Amino acid sequence: MHANESDDVNEYLLSGIILVGEDFTPASGHVLVRDSIIADVVEGDVDVDSLASGIVMPGMVNSHTHIGDSIARGVFFSSLEELVGPDGIKHRILESASGKELVSGMKSTIQEMMNTGTTCFSDFREGGIEGVKLLRTAMQGVNIKTRILGRPLKSPDELDEVLQLSDGIGLSSTGDYETSFTSEVARRTREAGGMFAIHAGERLVDDIESALSLDADFLVHLTQASDREIRMIADAGVPVVVCVRSNLATGVGEVGKKPPVREMLDAGILLAAGTDNAMLNSADMFSEASSLMGGYMDDAVDVLRMCTLNGARVLGLGGCGIIETGMQADLVVLDSKLDDTGTDGLSALLRRLACCTQPDDIVLTVCGGSISFKKEIVWSG
């Protein structure tokens, strides 16, 4: 172990191929971490033992989850409306589950994210005040950054307390509520300084413009967005989080039509990625990256940026999602076997990381002062 503690300063080195900056430029050298901050990125050999070596990249940011759904893994459904509509299977399962069952399921998914290189996630936490409290209980004792977007029950009466307990509000489609309700929730969330986000263009084809009218901090899915709606979103400067594996599992959109990921990027929309419902998918963001590369995009830099820096920007997590001096040390070290090209094969290396990284390839994860080796936290600053 080579983590030094002196005068409450925790300092160590991570060595190998460092993916630096917004473009993941490879540099052979070391990252110096001090007090959970990237103190320096040093090229070349350093005559000090490193804590771990391999391919050092920013930690993954899972920009949209519903981890309360963990207890419903493998549920059978015939349509998205049947699954997650206002009286869908999911909501009936959540309402009948005990708090202990929900917390246990959420803890399992949080651990899965930590085991697969995610250092931050955002959750749409249903269940009103109690739902947010249960997620905070599940978060106890783990060191992973989060944005909790609570959801008041279909009355604004409990909104103030939900906002006090969470980082903002995450609603389902505008089609699920009275217009007066969504407008009031959005307004009061902004007044309280919280983040407001909402699903759009998933189950319904006609809720995108109404979602845009709420001045949301970001929209989720946009699977069925038209070219005109994409232009509207771009003109409004509203970020979008896509969840391509979830959309594939639920069969959202026209047959044979993929979510317009490339079109949204080309329009200049800030685009991030998430794994969505824990009952449908693993919470592994490397699997999400692989799916994006496999059927939607051909630029590994764009894919990795969507899964790291863009997510941090969408969620307002300044200092995360990038390896640069002064940024947060939320990092993943991957097995060097993933790099057989050297620093000259950037495109091949990044494509391999986006397409082929498996949980066993993760050597170490750093998040908020905690260091995890192969799923086991061995040192905490």
Side-chain angles (χ1 to χ4, degrees):
M1 195 61 172
H2 303 286
N4 301 317
E5 295 190 57
S6 174
D7 298 325
D8 296 323
V9 174
N10 300 310
E11 182 176 297
Y12 53 89
L13 295 170
L14 303 173
S15 63
I17 303 298
I18 318 300
L19 302 183
V20 183
E22 294 191 19
D23 295 325
F24 303 92
T25 304
S28 180
H30 297 71
V31 174
L32 172 63
V33 177
R34 183 183 298 127
D35 282 348
S36 306
I37 300 295
I38 298 172
D40 203 358
V41 179
V42 183
E43 293 193 39
D45 295 332
V46 177
D47 190 23
V48 178
D49 288 341
S50 61
L51 185 64
S53 63
I55 301 167
V56 186
M57 67 171 287
M60 290 295 210
V61 178
N62 192 340
S63 297
H64 182 63
T65 66
H66 294 269
I67 67 170
D69 302 352
S70 302
I71 62 167
R73 290 185 188 274
V75 65
F76 175 80
F77 63 96
S78 58
S79 70
L80 184 60
E81 183 68 27
E82 179 189 23
L83 181 66
V84 300
D87 191 39
I89 296 170
K90 162 187 162 171
H91 298 294
R92 296 199 299 271
I93 291 174
L94 293 180
E95 288 171 3
S96 65
S98 69
K100 183 177 180 180
E101 289 172 324
L102 290 169
V103 168
S104 176
M106 287 190 284
K107 281 185 173 181
S108 175
T109 300
I110 291 168
Q111 188 63 57
E112 178 187 7
M113 285 190 278
M114 296 173 69
N115 291 348
T116 53
T118 290
T119 55
C120 175
F121 73 100
S122 172
D123 193 72
F124 273 34
R125 184 76 283 272
E126 295 100 337
I129 296 166
E130 184 63 19
V132 176
K133 287 181 176 178
L134 290 173
L135 178 51
R136 292 214 172 274
T137 298
M139 293 286 297
Q140 291 176 4
V142 297
N143 209 332
I144 184 171
K145 293 181 173 68
T146 186
R147 282 284 186 260
I148 299 175
L149 301 182
R151 183 177 299 177
L153 302 177
K154 290 193 175 181
S155 164
D157 295 343
E158 64 174 6
L159 179 59
D160 289 341
E161 188 168 354
V162 171
L163 285 169
Q164 289 173 4
L165 293 169
S166 63
D167 300 297
I169 299 297
L171 295 183
S172 59
S173 167
T174 55
D176 296 336
Y177 308 95
E178 295 292 335
T179 301
S180 58
F181 175 80
T182 53
S183 297
E184 181 176 356
V185 169
R187 176 183 58 79
R188 287 171 58 183
T189 300
R190 286 192 297 273
E191 290 174 351
M195 178 169 283
F196 178 77
I198 189 166
H199 295 78
E202 185 194 17
R203 287 174 25 244
L204 306 177
V205 298
D206 58 355
D207 62 353
I208 294 174
E209 290 190 37
S210 57
L212 269 178
S213 72
L214 297 172
D215 194 23
D217 289 284
F218 65 92
L219 305 178
V220 182
H221 291 302
L222 277 298
T223 311
Q224 306 192 70
S226 66
D227 290 344
R228 183 182 68 85
E229 288 165 334
I230 289 172
R231 289 194 298 272
M232 291 175 62
I233 295 163
D235 290 344
V238 179
V240 171
V241 177
V242 296
C243 309
V244 296
R245 285 189 301 147
S246 171
N247 296 153
L248 181 63
T250 57
V252 170
E254 299 173 18
V255 175
K257 180 181 178 182
K258 296 177 180 178
V261 177
R262 184 74 261 172
E263 291 84 349
M264 288 192 281
L265 273 178
D266 289 344
I269 295 171
L270 177 61
L271 208 60
T275 60
D276 200 20
N277 295 84
M279 62 185 169
L280 300 175
N281 296 316
S282 71
D284 180 358
M285 282 297 292
F286 279 107
S287 291
E288 204 69 25
S290 179
S291 292
L292 283 163
M293 284 297 298
Y296 300 85
M297 303 173 67
D298 56 12
D299 188 329
V301 171
D302 282 340
V303 169
L304 291 174
R305 196 182 290 132
M306 284 174 62
C307 297
T308 56
L309 180 60
N310 285 8
R313 286 173 169 167
V314 169
L315 300 179
L317 294 166
C320 298
I322 188 171
I323 297 180
E324 286 183 347
T325 300
M327 299 294 110
Q328 294 286 322
D330 293 344
L331 306 168
V332 177
V333 181
L334 303 174
D335 196 310
S336 57
K337 72 182 182 184
L338 289 165
D339 175 31
D340 60 8
T341 61
T343 57
D344 292 330
L346 171 62
S347 178
L349 169 60
L350 296 185
R351 186 174 183 85
R352 190 172 295 111
L353 296 185
C355 290
C356 305
T357 301
Q358 300 294 317
D360 286 346
D361 295 323
I362 295 172
V363 175
L364 171 151
T365 302
V366 179
C367 182
S370 287
I371 300 174
S372 304
F373 282 94
K374 292 290 189 181
K375 306 180 184 180
E376 178 183 1
I377 297 178
V378 298
W379 174 77
S380 180

